[in-house]
Amino acid sequence: MPSTHKKDKPWDTDDIDKWKVEPFKPSDNAGGTFAEESSFAVLFPKYREVYLKEAWPGVTKALQQHGIACTLDLVEGCMTVKTTRKTFDPAAILKARDLIKLLARSVPAPQALKILQDDMACDIIKIRNLVRNKEKFVKRRQRILGPGGQTLKALELLTQTYILVQGNTVSALGNYKGLKEVRRVVEDCMANIHPIYQIKELMIKRELAKDPELAHENWERFLPNYKKRSLSKRMVPYKVTDKSKKVYTPFPPPQEKSKVDLQIEAGEYHIGKEAKKRIAQEERMEKQKVKQEEKKRQREQDFIAPEENATERKKKKRKTKDDE
């Protein structure tokens, strides 16, 4: 039986963008004012005081349009945002919270205010805990920036985001897809994978996305596949014994003789301490004599004249006679 629910929809045309996020207006809030007040507070470092004091009037003006109240406490070093009776958008307080987080992480106010847009999001990536060694951490953090900030700029252009590396965090601001790529690149960089590999991959994906024929195909055959070149850290023995040559025997090897057994065999076990010292001294003196004789022989070799062949002597005599 055919379905009676499938009817023609003349208002549903192809030119309608179904994924477009419509801006939230006061008329969309049918419930009116909020029942309770919501607030968020964020601490900021002392070196941000001067900048925040200058930029705060612009931040207050931008938040007033969304019905959010904000306060800057320079004594406690704290920024606070809260809802008011004029707040109509439930998500506005969350956007305001992200705004003060970005301002605390040294993001400039003009860039941070973009978070109030509906299609913008932010991600603050904590990178200090990913690497234990301080020197390695500084080197890998520098890789994200690159020489003269070129790597960071390339990453911003490819992901269409704003990225700021500050202290122990990386602040990113942009669309959700771009933020996901940024987080992957930053975490891989801290895991000792150079960001240039990820940038190369993103560039290839960007070019493939332009081709409508490859839109619904798998792109793995186009992406570069890098092999690991790091050597194994397993300890290799200095001397490798070939066990295949040894004949198998079920019996264990004979027990090694102890120090006492060796002394009994040599007849030194029952000798007194003074006698042992005398014997050891005599052995030492004998070794010294042998070494002295060797050194003496080496010194005497420098004074021995080299042997000359008889033919060379005759040639020299003939040359002298001819010259006369």
Side-chain angles (χ1 to χ4, degrees), residues 100-143:
I100 58 173
K101 271 187 183 179
L102 291 169
L103 288 169
R105 292 313 310 146
S106 300
V107 177
Q111 291 288 346
L113 287 169
K114 290 180 183 178
I115 194 68
L116 297 173
Q117 298 171 16
D118 288 333
D119 58 341
M120 295 292 278
C122 75
D123 190 9
I124 297 168
I125 307 157
K126 293 177 182 178
I127 55 174
R128 184 65 191 94
N129 298 332
L130 300 175
V131 184
R132 286 185 179 181
N133 193 353
K134 184 72 181 288
E135 290 177 5
K136 284 184 180 178
F137 167 73
V138 172
K139 282 182 183 177
R140 290 176 190 179
R141 185 181 63 181
Q142 187 60 34
R143 279 185 202 166

Short mmCIF file of all heavy atoms in Angstrom, two decimals, residues 100-143:
data_model
loop_
_atom_site.label_atom_id
_atom_site.label_comp_id
_atom_site.label_asym_id
_atom_site.label_seq_id
_atom_site.Cartn_x
_atom_site.Cartn_y
_atom_site.Cartn_z
N ILE A 100 35.89 35.55 28.02
CA ILE A 100 36.80 35.95 29.11
C ILE A 100 37.95 34.94 29.26
O ILE A 100 39.04 35.30 29.70
CB ILE A 100 36.04 36.17 30.44
CG1 ILE A 100 35.27 34.92 30.87
CG2 ILE A 100 35.13 37.37 30.34
CD1 ILE A 100 34.64 35.02 32.26
N LYS A 101 37.71 33.68 28.88
CA LYS A 101 38.79 32.67 28.89
C LYS A 101 39.87 33.05 27.87
O LYS A 101 41.06 32.98 28.16
CB LYS A 101 38.23 31.29 28.54
CG LYS A 101 37.74 30.49 29.72
CD LYS A 101 37.38 29.09 29.26
CE LYS A 101 36.80 28.27 30.40
NZ LYS A 101 36.42 26.92 29.93
N LEU A 102 39.44 33.45 26.68
CA LEU A 102 40.38 33.85 25.63
C LEU A 102 41.13 35.12 26.00
O LEU A 102 42.33 35.23 25.74
CB LEU A 102 39.63 34.04 24.30
CG LEU A 102 39.06 32.78 23.64
CD1 LEU A 102 38.13 33.16 22.51
CD2 LEU A 102 40.17 31.88 23.13
N LEU A 103 40.43 36.06 26.62
CA LEU A 103 41.09 37.31 27.05
C LEU A 103 42.16 37.02 28.12
O LEU A 103 43.21 37.65 28.13
CB LEU A 103 40.06 38.29 27.59
CG LEU A 103 39.13 38.94 26.57
CD1 LEU A 103 38.01 39.68 27.27
CD2 LEU A 103 39.89 39.89 25.65
N ALA A 104 41.89 36.06 29.00
CA ALA A 104 42.85 35.69 30.03
C ALA A 104 44.08 34.99 29.44
O ALA A 104 45.16 35.06 30.02
CB ALA A 104 42.19 34.78 31.06
N ARG A 105 43.90 34.35 28.28
CA ARG A 105 45.00 33.64 27.62
C ARG A 105 45.70 34.52 26.58
O ARG A 105 46.25 34.02 25.60
CB ARG A 105 44.51 32.35 26.95
CG ARG A 105 44.04 31.27 27.89
CD ARG A 105 44.96 30.96 29.05
NE ARG A 105 46.33 30.74 28.68
CZ ARG A 105 47.37 31.08 29.42
NH1 ARG A 105 47.19 31.69 30.57
NH2 ARG A 105 48.59 30.87 29.00
N SER A 106 45.65 35.83 26.74
CA SER A 106 46.38 36.83 25.94
C SER A 106 45.89 36.96 24.50
O SER A 106 46.62 37.45 23.64
CB SER A 106 47.89 36.51 25.93
OG SER A 106 48.40 36.54 27.23
N VAL A 107 44.68 36.53 24.21
CA VAL A 107 44.10 36.73 22.87
C VAL A 107 43.66 38.19 22.76
O VAL A 107 42.98 38.69 23.68
CB VAL A 107 42.92 35.78 22.61
CG1 VAL A 107 42.26 36.04 21.25
CG2 VAL A 107 43.37 34.33 22.69
N PRO A 108 44.01 38.90 21.69
CA PRO A 108 43.57 40.31 21.55
C PRO A 108 42.05 40.43 21.54
O PRO A 108 41.34 39.55 21.04
CB PRO A 108 44.17 40.74 20.20
CG PRO A 108 45.26 39.77 19.91
CD PRO A 108 44.86 38.48 20.56
N ALA A 109 41.55 41.54 22.10
CA ALA A 109 40.10 41.73 22.25
C ALA A 109 39.35 41.69 20.91
O ALA A 109 38.28 41.07 20.83
CB ALA A 109 39.83 43.04 22.98
N PRO A 110 39.85 42.32 19.80
CA PRO A 110 39.12 42.24 18.53
C PRO A 110 38.93 40.80 18.04
O PRO A 110 37.88 40.48 17.45
CB PRO A 110 40.00 43.04 17.56
CG PRO A 110 40.81 43.95 18.42
CD PRO A 110 41.03 43.20 19.68
N GLN A 111 39.94 39.95 18.25
CA GLN A 111 39.83 38.54 17.84
C GLN A 111 38.91 37.78 18.79
O GLN A 111 38.08 36.97 18.36
CB GLN A 111 41.21 37.88 17.82
CG GLN A 111 42.14 38.37 16.74
CD GLN A 111 41.73 37.88 15.36
OE1 GLN A 111 40.93 36.97 15.22
NE2 GLN A 111 42.28 38.51 14.34
N ALA A 112 39.04 38.03 20.09
CA ALA A 112 38.24 37.30 21.09
C ALA A 112 36.75 37.60 20.95
O ALA A 112 35.91 36.73 21.22
CB ALA A 112 38.73 37.65 22.49
N LEU A 113 36.38 38.82 20.53
CA LEU A 113 34.97 39.19 20.40
C LEU A 113 34.26 38.43 19.27
O LEU A 113 33.04 38.40 19.22
CB LEU A 113 34.84 40.70 20.18
CG LEU A 113 35.12 41.58 21.41
CD1 LEU A 113 35.23 43.03 21.02
CD2 LEU A 113 34.05 41.38 22.48
N LYS A 114 35.04 37.83 18.37
CA LYS A 114 34.44 37.03 17.29
C LYS A 114 33.74 35.78 17.81
O LYS A 114 32.91 35.19 17.11
CB LYS A 114 35.52 36.62 16.27
CG LYS A 114 36.05 37.79 15.45
CD LYS A 114 37.12 37.30 14.48
CE LYS A 114 37.72 38.46 13.69
NZ LYS A 114 38.80 38.01 12.79
N ILE A 115 34.08 35.36 19.04
CA ILE A 115 33.46 34.17 19.63
C ILE A 115 31.96 34.36 19.86
O ILE A 115 31.21 33.39 19.96
CB ILE A 115 34.18 33.79 20.95
CG1 ILE A 115 33.80 32.38 21.43
CG2 ILE A 115 33.87 34.78 22.05
CD1 ILE A 115 34.30 31.29 20.57
N LEU A 116 31.51 35.63 19.91
CA LEU A 116 30.08 35.90 20.13
C LEU A 116 29.23 35.58 18.91
O LEU A 116 28.00 35.53 19.00
CB LEU A 116 29.89 37.37 20.54
CG LEU A 116 30.57 37.79 21.86
CD1 LEU A 116 30.46 39.28 22.06
CD2 LEU A 116 29.98 37.04 23.04
N GLN A 117 29.89 35.35 17.75
CA GLN A 117 29.16 34.95 16.55
C GLN A 117 28.71 33.50 16.68
O GLN A 117 29.38 32.68 17.32
CB GLN A 117 30.05 35.12 15.31
CG GLN A 117 30.49 36.56 15.07
CD GLN A 117 31.52 36.67 13.98
OE1 GLN A 117 31.72 35.73 13.20
NE2 GLN A 117 32.20 37.80 13.91
N ASP A 118 27.60 33.16 16.02
CA ASP A 118 27.03 31.80 16.15
C ASP A 118 27.89 30.72 15.50
O ASP A 118 27.90 29.58 15.96
CB ASP A 118 25.61 31.77 15.54
CG ASP A 118 24.62 32.53 16.41
OD1 ASP A 118 24.85 32.61 17.62
OD2 ASP A 118 23.62 33.04 15.86
N ASP A 119 28.56 31.06 14.40
CA ASP A 119 29.33 30.06 13.67
C ASP A 119 30.78 29.93 14.16
O ASP A 119 31.59 29.26 13.53
CB ASP A 119 29.33 30.38 12.16
CG ASP A 119 29.91 31.77 11.88
OD1 ASP A 119 29.95 32.58 12.82
OD2 ASP A 119 30.31 32.01 10.73
N MET A 120 31.11 30.59 15.27
CA MET A 120 32.48 30.56 15.80
C MET A 120 32.52 29.77 17.11
O MET A 120 31.57 29.80 17.90
CB MET A 120 33.00 31.98 16.04
CG MET A 120 33.16 32.81 14.78
SD MET A 120 34.47 32.21 13.70
CE MET A 120 35.88 32.95 14.49
N ALA A 121 33.66 29.08 17.29
CA ALA A 121 33.90 28.34 18.54
C ALA A 121 35.36 28.49 18.92
O ALA A 121 36.17 28.97 18.11
CB ALA A 121 33.54 26.87 18.35
N CYS A 122 35.69 28.11 20.13
CA CYS A 122 37.09 28.22 20.57
C CYS A 122 37.53 26.94 21.26
O CYS A 122 36.70 26.15 21.73
CB CYS A 122 37.28 29.41 21.50
SG CYS A 122 36.65 29.15 23.16
N ASP A 123 38.85 26.74 21.29
CA ASP A 123 39.43 25.57 21.94
C ASP A 123 40.75 25.98 22.57
O ASP A 123 41.63 26.49 21.88
CB ASP A 123 39.65 24.44 20.91
CG ASP A 123 40.02 23.13 21.57
OD1 ASP A 123 39.95 23.05 22.81
OD2 ASP A 123 40.38 22.17 20.85
N ILE A 124 40.88 25.80 23.88
CA ILE A 124 42.13 26.10 24.59
C ILE A 124 42.80 24.78 24.92
O ILE A 124 42.31 24.01 25.76
CB ILE A 124 41.86 26.95 25.86
CG1 ILE A 124 41.26 28.30 25.47
CG2 ILE A 124 43.13 27.15 26.66
CD1 ILE A 124 40.69 29.10 26.61
N ILE A 125 43.91 24.50 24.24
CA ILE A 125 44.61 23.21 24.34
C ILE A 125 45.74 23.35 25.37
O ILE A 125 46.62 24.18 25.20
CB ILE A 125 45.18 22.77 22.97
CG1 ILE A 125 44.07 22.79 21.91
CG2 ILE A 125 45.80 21.39 23.05
CD1 ILE A 125 44.58 22.93 20.49
N LYS A 126 45.69 22.53 26.42
CA LYS A 126 46.75 22.52 27.43
C LYS A 126 47.86 21.57 26.97
O LYS A 126 47.62 20.38 26.79
CB LYS A 126 46.19 22.08 28.78
CG LYS A 126 45.20 23.07 29.36
CD LYS A 126 44.61 22.58 30.66
CE LYS A 126 43.59 23.56 31.20
NZ LYS A 126 42.96 23.08 32.44
N ILE A 127 49.06 22.12 26.78
CA ILE A 127 50.15 21.33 26.19
C ILE A 127 51.27 21.01 27.18
O ILE A 127 52.14 20.18 26.87
CB ILE A 127 50.76 22.06 24.96
CG1 ILE A 127 51.22 23.48 25.32
CG2 ILE A 127 49.76 22.09 23.82
CD1 ILE A 127 51.95 24.20 24.21
N ARG A 128 51.28 21.62 28.36
CA ARG A 128 52.40 21.41 29.29
C ARG A 128 52.45 19.98 29.82
O ARG A 128 53.52 19.40 30.00
CB ARG A 128 52.30 22.40 30.47
CG ARG A 128 53.48 22.32 31.43
CD ARG A 128 54.77 22.75 30.76
NE ARG A 128 55.96 22.45 31.53
CZ ARG A 128 56.71 21.36 31.42
NH1 ARG A 128 56.39 20.41 30.57
NH2 ARG A 128 57.78 21.20 32.15
N ASN A 129 51.29 19.37 30.06
CA ASN A 129 51.25 18.02 30.62
C ASN A 129 51.58 16.94 29.59
O ASN A 129 51.77 15.77 29.97
CB ASN A 129 49.85 17.73 31.21
CG ASN A 129 49.51 18.67 32.34
OD1 ASN A 129 50.40 19.15 33.04
ND2 ASN A 129 48.23 18.94 32.53
N LEU A 130 51.65 17.31 28.31
CA LEU A 130 51.92 16.31 27.26
C LEU A 130 53.40 15.94 27.18
O LEU A 130 53.73 14.88 26.65
CB LEU A 130 51.43 16.84 25.90
CG LEU A 130 49.94 17.17 25.82
CD1 LEU A 130 49.61 17.78 24.47
CD2 LEU A 130 49.08 15.93 26.05
N VAL A 131 54.29 16.82 27.65
CA VAL A 131 55.74 16.57 27.63
C VAL A 131 56.30 16.82 29.02
O VAL A 131 56.06 17.87 29.61
CB VAL A 131 56.45 17.49 26.60
CG1 VAL A 131 57.94 17.15 26.52
CG2 VAL A 131 55.82 17.35 25.23
N ARG A 132 57.07 15.86 29.55
CA ARG A 132 57.61 15.99 30.91
C ARG A 132 58.84 16.90 30.93
O ARG A 132 58.95 17.77 31.77
CB ARG A 132 57.99 14.61 31.45
CG ARG A 132 56.78 13.77 31.83
CD ARG A 132 57.22 12.48 32.47
NE ARG A 132 56.08 11.65 32.87
CZ ARG A 132 56.19 10.48 33.47
NH1 ARG A 132 57.38 9.99 33.75
NH2 ARG A 132 55.12 9.78 33.79
N ASN A 133 59.76 16.66 30.02
CA ASN A 133 61.02 17.41 30.02
C ASN A 133 60.79 18.85 29.55
O ASN A 133 60.17 19.08 28.51
CB ASN A 133 62.02 16.71 29.09
CG ASN A 133 63.43 17.24 29.27
OD1 ASN A 133 63.64 18.21 30.00
ND2 ASN A 133 64.38 16.62 28.64
N LYS A 134 61.31 19.82 30.32
CA LYS A 134 61.09 21.25 30.02
C LYS A 134 61.77 21.64 28.71
O LYS A 134 61.18 22.38 27.91
CB LYS A 134 61.63 22.09 31.18
CG LYS A 134 61.39 23.58 31.07
CD LYS A 134 59.94 23.93 31.29
CE LYS A 134 59.66 25.41 31.16
NZ LYS A 134 60.17 26.23 32.25
N GLU A 135 62.99 21.15 28.48
CA GLU A 135 63.73 21.51 27.26
C GLU A 135 63.02 20.99 26.01
O GLU A 135 62.89 21.69 25.00
CB GLU A 135 65.16 20.96 27.32
CG GLU A 135 66.02 21.67 28.35
CD GLU A 135 67.41 21.08 28.46
OE1 GLU A 135 67.73 20.18 27.65
OE2 GLU A 135 68.17 21.50 29.34
N LYS A 136 62.55 19.74 26.08
CA LYS A 136 61.81 19.15 24.95
C LYS A 136 60.51 19.91 24.70
O LYS A 136 60.12 20.13 23.55
CB LYS A 136 61.51 17.68 25.23
CG LYS A 136 62.70 16.76 25.05
CD LYS A 136 62.28 15.32 25.26
CE LYS A 136 63.48 14.39 25.09
NZ LYS A 136 63.08 12.98 25.33
N PHE A 137 59.85 20.31 25.80
CA PHE A 137 58.59 21.05 25.68
C PHE A 137 58.80 22.37 24.94
O PHE A 137 58.03 22.72 24.04
CB PHE A 137 58.02 21.30 27.08
CG PHE A 137 56.91 22.31 27.12
CD1 PHE A 137 55.66 22.01 26.62
CD2 PHE A 137 57.13 23.58 27.65
CE1 PHE A 137 54.64 22.95 26.64
CE2 PHE A 137 56.12 24.51 27.68
CZ PHE A 137 54.87 24.19 27.18
N VAL A 138 59.86 23.10 25.30
CA VAL A 138 60.14 24.40 24.66
C VAL A 138 60.45 24.21 23.18
O VAL A 138 59.96 24.98 22.33
CB VAL A 138 61.31 25.11 25.39
CG1 VAL A 138 61.75 26.35 24.64
CG2 VAL A 138 60.91 25.47 26.82
N LYS A 139 61.23 23.18 22.84
CA LYS A 139 61.58 22.92 21.44
C LYS A 139 60.35 22.57 20.61
O LYS A 139 60.17 23.05 19.48
CB LYS A 139 62.60 21.77 21.35
CG LYS A 139 64.01 22.19 21.70
CD LYS A 139 64.95 21.02 21.55
CE LYS A 139 66.37 21.41 21.96
NZ LYS A 139 67.29 20.25 21.89
N ARG A 140 59.51 21.71 21.16
CA ARG A 140 58.32 21.27 20.41
C ARG A 140 57.28 22.38 20.31
O ARG A 140 56.55 22.46 19.31
CB ARG A 140 57.73 20.02 21.08
CG ARG A 140 58.63 18.81 20.89
CD ARG A 140 58.12 17.60 21.61
NE ARG A 140 59.14 16.54 21.60
CZ ARG A 140 58.98 15.35 22.17
NH1 ARG A 140 57.86 15.05 22.80
NH2 ARG A 140 59.95 14.45 22.11
N ARG A 141 57.20 23.22 21.33
CA ARG A 141 56.29 24.38 21.25
C ARG A 141 56.77 25.35 20.16
O ARG A 141 55.95 25.94 19.45
CB ARG A 141 56.24 25.08 22.60
CG ARG A 141 55.24 26.22 22.67
CD ARG A 141 55.24 26.87 24.02
NE ARG A 141 56.53 27.48 24.32
CZ ARG A 141 56.80 28.11 25.46
NH1 ARG A 141 55.90 28.20 26.41
NH2 ARG A 141 57.99 28.64 25.67
N GLN A 142 58.09 25.49 20.02
CA GLN A 142 58.65 26.36 18.99
C GLN A 142 58.36 25.82 17.60
O GLN A 142 58.23 26.59 16.64
CB GLN A 142 60.17 26.50 19.22
CG GLN A 142 60.85 27.51 18.31
CD GLN A 142 60.30 28.92 18.46
OE1 GLN A 142 59.92 29.33 19.56
NE2 GLN A 142 60.26 29.66 17.38
N ARG A 143 58.25 24.50 17.48
CA ARG A 143 57.93 23.89 16.16
C ARG A 143 56.55 24.33 15.67
O ARG A 143 56.33 24.44 14.47
CB ARG A 143 57.94 22.36 16.28
CG ARG A 143 59.32 21.75 16.21
CD ARG A 143 59.20 20.26 16.21
NE ARG A 143 60.43 19.63 16.65
CZ ARG A 143 60.53 18.36 17.00
NH1 ARG A 143 59.46 17.58 16.98
NH2 ARG A 143 61.68 17.84 17.38
#
